[in-house]
Amino acid sequence: SGKFYQHGTTEASQATLASVSPVFAVMKLDKEGNSTFFEKKKTELYQELGLQARDLRFQHVMSITTRNNRIIMRLEFLKAVITPEFLLILDYRNLNLEHWLFNELASQLAGEGQLVTYSLPFEFRAIEAILQYRISKLQGRLNTLQPQILETLEALVDPKLLSVDRSKLHILLQNGKSLSELETDLKVFKETILEILDEEELIEELCLSKWTDPQVFEESTSGIDHAEEMELLLENYYRQAEDLANEARELRVLIDDSESIIFINLDSHRNVMMRLNLQLTMGTFSLSLFGLIGVAFGMNLESSLEEDPRIFWLVTGIMFLGSGLIWRRLLSFLGRHLEPPLPPHVPAVLKKSQPAAGRVELKNSLKAETFGLSRSTLTNQ
């Protein structure tokens, strides 16, 4: 009864796991480009492919691994399993890739596209088609960002502007964030391919038909090295990713340099405004300083000066003249202290001695060369 209870519990648990296991919407493409669509549970799928459950978890953003003569690829949202006979695209309904899946991928696998590996085994065409799609998407993102960033920087880096448009800065911030995400994706792409290129065994494992197809095995033994072809294929897309990364890096440097120019322009305009404010402050100070004379004459005190009508014009002239002189003196003082310091004066003695010293050193070097030539000549003789 105990064994019967354990057996019933095991069957119940398996039935429960089967009921909650995820279901994949699978698109299957064969060597001729024919496609079929079906839904299958994860447990049934990895059992048919001879894989483990952990092989179909797709934990990493990008990965290329081999298990039991199967290639498992994950490129961002694209999940694929490659065998020597067919290609499986998992969860194809959620990818929004209908144009590529139905119009381009099938023809590429059938050898009708512009793939370099059309004459090689099926897994070569499948890997190249997927990598080409990924590189084209990254290239498209860069082509979209580059003109937007250049246009925004051209509008911001203008010395005639006294202020910075905040909307342009907001656009530049968003584009910079998108550029950082693109740089991260390119870095992950390059690192994933580089890990395979560094291990010769991994490259050999990617050549599935070499171990299953006798004709391909004979070709590999007769001189056609499929592992070398796979390495060249991966190096090609690694080089393309490196070129895209260099272009993205140049955009990043351009953004940083433009930010420095923007800050310099703003500092320059700020310094102009501060200097103008300082000049007005000095003018107000000088005018108020001599305005004390008018305050003194405006007091309710009697003197003999107010009886003379020329005293008003005399005091007014003295006030404006004194204020102007004080303001000019303050401006000259400000100009002397804001001008950059002059380079240190070089005495004439040093200027004359430098060529002489140079001639002495030249003569010594010529003497040493002549002495060396004479020694070598004597030795040869």
Side-chain angles (χ1 to χ4, degrees), residues 99-137:
H99 177 75
W100 177 69
L101 290 175
F102 297 105
N103 299 332
E104 299 181 10
L105 181 59
S107 61
Q108 289 176 344
L109 296 178
E112 300 175 0
Q114 298 179 353
L115 297 181
V116 182
T117 57
Y118 66 93
S119 60
L120 293 173
F122 175 76
E123 65 270 14
F124 284 81
R125 299 198 299 271
I127 292 176
E128 184 180 6
I130 294 176
L131 292 180
Q132 187 183 50
Y133 167 75
R134 181 59 177 163
I135 283 292
S136 63
K137 294 295 288 184

Side-chain angles (χ1 to χ4, degrees), residues 52-282:
Q52 299 294 328
R54 62 177 177 270
D55 297 331
L56 300 180
R57 289 176 185 166
F58 302 101
Q59 298 177 353
H60 303 285
V61 177
M62 178 176 178
S63 62
I64 303 175
T65 57
T66 55
R67 295 285 189 277
N68 195 19
N69 207 32
R70 304 284 189 268
I71 300 176
I72 305 169
M73 296 186 66
R74 167 74 183 272
L75 297 180
E76 200 174 9
F77 302 107
L78 181 63
K79 307 172 186 177
V81 179
I82 304 173
T83 69
E85 294 81 18
F86 55 85
L87 166 65
L88 299 180
I89 305 295
L90 308 182
D91 291 337
Y92 69 94
R93 296 174 181 172
N94 302 326
L95 299 179
N96 296 324
L97 304 176
E98 289 80 6
H99 177 75
W100 177 69
L101 290 175
F102 297 105
N103 299 332
E104 299 181 10
L105 181 59
S107 61
Q108 289 176 344
L109 296 178
E112 300 175 0
Q114 298 179 353
L115 297 181
V116 182
T117 57
Y118 66 93
S119 60
L120 293 173
F122 175 76
E123 65 270 14
F124 284 81
R125 299 198 299 271
I127 292 176
E128 184 180 6
I130 294 176
L131 292 180
Q132 187 183 50
Y133 167 75
R134 181 59 177 163
I135 283 292
S136 63
K137 294 295 288 184
L138 295 174
Q139 179 72 53
R141 290 168 58 184
L142 181 62
N143 293 338
T144 304
L145 282 175
Q146 189 171 12
Q148 296 179 359
I149 292 176
L150 294 178
E151 182 181 359
T152 306
L153 292 179
E154 186 178 0
L156 288 174
V157 185
D158 190 355
K160 298 179 181 179
L161 297 178
L162 299 179
S163 61
V164 179
D165 190 357
R166 293 187 178 181
S167 61
K168 296 292 184 181
L169 286 178
H170 183 66
I171 294 174
L172 183 62
L173 181 62
Q174 291 180 342
N175 292 334
K177 183 179 179 181
S178 301
L179 184 61
S180 300
E181 294 175 355
L182 177 60
E183 289 177 338
T184 303
D185 293 340
L186 287 170
K187 181 180 178 182
V188 172
F189 186 89
K190 289 166 48 183
E191 290 178 351
T192 304
I193 295 182
L194 191 61
E195 288 177 359
I196 301 175
L197 292 175
D198 290 339
E199 297 292 337
E200 186 176 355
E201 296 179 356
L202 297 178
I203 299 176
E204 291 282 350
E205 291 176 357
L206 291 177
C207 304
L208 305 179
S209 301
K210 184 177 180 180
W211 315 109
T212 58
D213 192 346
Q215 181 180 357
V216 176
F217 183 77
E218 291 178 2
E219 291 178 355
S220 61
T221 55
S222 63
I224 301 176
D225 192 356
H226 288 82
E228 185 177 355
E229 296 291 339
M230 181 64 72
E231 183 177 1
L232 291 175
L233 172 64
L234 296 177
E235 282 183 353
N236 178 32
Y237 286 97
Y238 177 82
R239 195 179 304 110
Q240 293 185 29
E242 183 69 23
D243 294 339
L244 293 179
N246 291 334
E247 293 182 12
R249 195 177 303 112
E250 290 176 359
L251 275 179
R252 175 63 61 186
V253 172
L254 186 60
I255 290 176
D256 295 339
D257 294 342
S258 301
E259 288 180 354
S260 302
I261 295 174
I262 292 171
F263 291 146
I264 290 172
N265 289 336
L266 292 178
D267 290 339
S268 176
H269 293 305
R270 190 181 301 111
N271 292 336
V272 171
M273 298 303 295
M274 291 176 62
R275 184 163 184 167
L276 178 61
N277 187 20
L278 184 59
Q279 291 175 354
L280 294 176
T281 302
M282 290 187 299

